[in-house]
Amino acid sequence: MIVWLNGTHGAGKTTTSVLVQRLIPGSRVFDAEKVGETLMDIRPGLPATDNFQHWPPWRQLVVETARSVLDYTGGTLVMPMTVLVERYWREISTGLARHAIPVRHFVIHADQDTLRRRIEGEHPVPSPFRLRYLEPYAEAARTWLHSEAEVVDTTHLTPAQAALRIAEAVKG
């Protein structure tokens, strides 16, 4: 099984994923961003883009890597990864379904003011990359994302509380 933690950059997916992993026996964290980093290291580089998710090989490799790891280890993969483009989510979720891999899709959500405060408070200089994705996240949440996933509103939750809710839902 895959427990996919979606949400915008800076929402707390990575922090929460480590806590969820500790609560689900036999689980591992797989950060699909590492697949993107590998593709970014190809020289000469792939076609220019502002987001490696736009490269079709990223979506295909995420599916195949998750499948391969699960075939090798069994258990559960906890995957913290922002996917805000509906077509990309469909490619990934359809690819996983073709391999009969069940997916529990959660969105780590917080209101825009909370997200902005979290992003601005995490480093001396706020991440322009993370701030740039606040509006695309809000648009995805309004149009498709929240209807495709189990939303965990973390506006007033700690990462540990969010992780417990997710783990209980998965085990439940």
Side-chain angles (χ1 to χ4, degrees), residues 119-133:
I119 293 167
E120 290 174 349
E122 63 188 6
H123 299 288
V125 178
S127 166
F129 177 83
R130 289 180 175 200
L131 290 169
R132 187 171 69 231
Y133 279 92

Side-chain angles (χ1 to χ4, degrees), residues 45-65:
L46 298 177
T49 182
D50 65 342
N51 186 330
F52 56 70
Q53 291 187 15
H54 298 319
W55 292 324
W58 178 80
R59 301 184 297 277
Q60 297 160 5
L61 287 169
V62 165
V63 169
E64 291 307 316
T65 304

Side-chain angles (χ1 to χ4, degrees), residues 156-172:
H156 303 290
L157 295 179
T158 65
Q161 291 168 322
L164 186 59
R165 285 191 185 181
I166 292 165
E168 287 175 347
V170 170
K171 292 176 186 177

Side-chain angles (χ1 to χ4, degrees), residues 60-121:
Q60 297 160 5
L61 287 169
V62 165
V63 169
E64 291 307 316
T65 304
R67 180 194 58 78
S68 294
V69 170
L70 286 172
D71 284 351
Y72 182 62
T73 64
T76 299
L77 288 182
V78 180
M79 296 182 61
M81 189 69 216
T82 299
V83 178
L84 301 180
V85 177
E86 183 177 11
R87 180 170 57 94
Y88 298 172
W89 175 251
R90 298 264 176 256
E91 285 180 43
I92 292 166
S93 60
T94 300
L96 294 168
R98 270 196 300 271
H99 294 295
I101 300 170
V103 177
R104 289 291 296 269
H105 185 196
F106 294 89
V107 171
I108 306 297
H109 173 79
D111 64 54
Q112 290 285 304
D113 290 338
T114 299
L115 288 169
R116 186 174 301 284
R117 268 195 318 276
R118 288 178 185 170
I119 293 167
E120 290 174 349

